[in-house]
Amino acid sequence: AGIGKCVAMDLARRNARTILACRSRERGQAAVEEIRAATGNPAVVLRLLDTGSLASVRAFASAVLREEPRLDVLVNNAGVTGLPFAITSEGLEQTFATNYLGPFLLTNLLLG
């Protein structure tokens, strides 16, 4: 939703292979179908990612590096605010992990 969906829509309109990295399979698939229909670009795909989980980030990055021949653009757009204090299963504060640590790790894992 929001800015991320708009960026994905624009990339798909430019005929880019576009990977939507989403926490929710249902919402993500709905966005994929909407973007495909609006742009005519079938190369819009969904991959599950929770940036609040470093294990999820590592699995996502590993799959992208294994499956994609190249990566030209990375847009780190996910974030949360206003959540009650919570600790992840990895011992990290949830908001900090989701907004900072996850995207930082993802970026570094995807660098050549």
Side-chain angles (χ1 to χ4, degrees):
I3 293 171
K5 187 174 172 185
C6 288
V7 170
M9 185 79 74
D10 188 62
L11 291 170
R13 278 194 180 108
R14 296 169 191 258
N15 208 33
R17 176 168 169 77
T18 306
I19 302 169
L20 277 65
C22 303
R23 251 187 340 219
S24 165
R25 181 179 304 278
E26 294 76 25
R27 290 180 63 200
Q29 191 58 45
V32 165
E33 291 169 15
E34 182 182 338
I35 292 168
R36 284 178 181 167
T39 65
N41 183 344
V44 179
V45 297
L46 173 65
R47 297 289 181 262
L48 296 181
L49 171 64
D50 177 0
T51 59
S53 163
L54 300 186
S56 176
V57 170
R58 290 181 192 284
F60 175 87
S62 177
V64 167
L65 292 172
R66 184 178 59 253
E67 297 168 5
E68 301 297 329
R70 62 187 235 210
L71 178 66
D72 296 311
V73 176
L74 173 65
V75 178
N76 281 316
N77 181 64
V80 295
T81 186
L83 295 180
F85 180 83
I87 300 295
T88 69
S89 63
E90 297 160 314
L92 305 167
E93 194 280 319
Q94 182 69 52
T95 301
F96 185 60
T98 301
N99 293 352
Y100 299 99
L101 299 178
F104 179 81
L105 177 61
L106 179 62
T107 300
N108 281 276
L109 290 173
L110 292 176
L111 289 173

